[in-house]
Amino acid sequence: MRELGGKSRGFLTFVREKGRLWLLVGGALLGVLLLLFGGFHTDTDEAQTVDTVQARVAELAAYEAQLEKEIRELCEAVSGVGDTDVMVSFEGGYSVCYVGEGSDGPATVGAGSSEQAVFRRVSPPAVRGVGVVCRGGNRPEVQQRLTELLSTALGISSSCVYVTGK
């Protein structure tokens, strides 16, 4: 009990006074509603994760198509090579290097649910191997030139390059 102005009053008396009971009931109701509906953001998070994965797959497919086009053009520029088809295989996906990576984790920006790691660079996936099928690819001198060219240009071992004719 509290002493206010010489009167002893209870908590309920204090709350009932001047409509404060409705304020207390409204606050409790709001709290319950927040607890009930506060968990619905997970569907949005999952949808964003799926969208992010699909975006990464699309980026990788575009990168693969661009790299195959560049390799095809490079091969067709070699004397004795024509009508080239190329296939590239990758070691994995994109790799991300974050600022301050270490035992404490990466550096972050923001706070709470909006906190995000700061990345330094995104590296494309490493090329694991290349297959080339082209006119003139049956000749040993063309195979050797293309193998040396592609292993040097892509920074892979010559054993990771296969050239054959059509």
Side-chain angles (χ1 to χ4, degrees):
M1 299 266 190
R2 286 178 24 182
E3 277 296 319
L4 290 176
K7 291 184 180 177
S8 174
R9 295 178 17 187
F11 176 72
L12 289 178
T13 307
F14 177 74
V15 170
R16 284 185 188 141
E17 212 172 78
K18 298 181 185 175
R20 291 184 184 135
L21 180 62
W22 289 109
L23 185 61
L24 181 66
V25 170
L29 197 61
L30 181 62
V32 169
L33 288 174
L34 285 174
L35 286 174
L36 288 176
F37 296 112
F40 285 116
H41 67 38
T42 56
D43 294 339
T44 305
D45 292 344
E46 289 175 11
Q48 287 176 349
T49 302
V50 170
D51 290 344
T52 301
V53 169
Q54 289 174 344
R56 297 288 183 223
V57 169
E59 287 174 8
L60 185 57
Y63 175 71
E64 180 179 4
Q66 180 63 30
L67 186 60
E68 287 176 353
K69 178 183 175 220
E70 290 174 4
I71 291 172
R72 181 175 37 261
E73 291 172 355
L74 185 64
C75 290
E76 289 177 351
V78 173
S79 175
V81 177
D83 191 22
T84 306
D85 293 318
V86 176
M87 181 176 171
V88 178
S89 62
F90 296 102
E91 190 72 30
Y94 286 92
S95 61
V96 179
C97 179
Y98 292 97
V99 172
E101 268 186 314
S103 61
D104 296 335
T108 57
V109 174
S113 64
S114 66
E115 185 175 38
Q116 295 180 344
V118 179
F119 64 92
R120 182 177 303 148
R121 69 177 178 278
V122 177
S123 300
V127 174
R128 174 179 258 175
V130 178
V132 177
V133 179
C134 61
R135 289 223 160 77
N138 286 334
R139 298 193 329 240
E141 64 276 1
V142 170
Q143 288 177 347
Q144 182 180 1
R145 279 188 282 172
L146 288 180
T147 301
E148 290 175 3
L149 174 67
L150 294 175
S151 67
T152 302
L154 298 172
I156 59 176
S157 168
S158 60
S159 65
C160 297
V161 178
Y162 183 78
V163 179
T164 190
K166 283 191 171 187

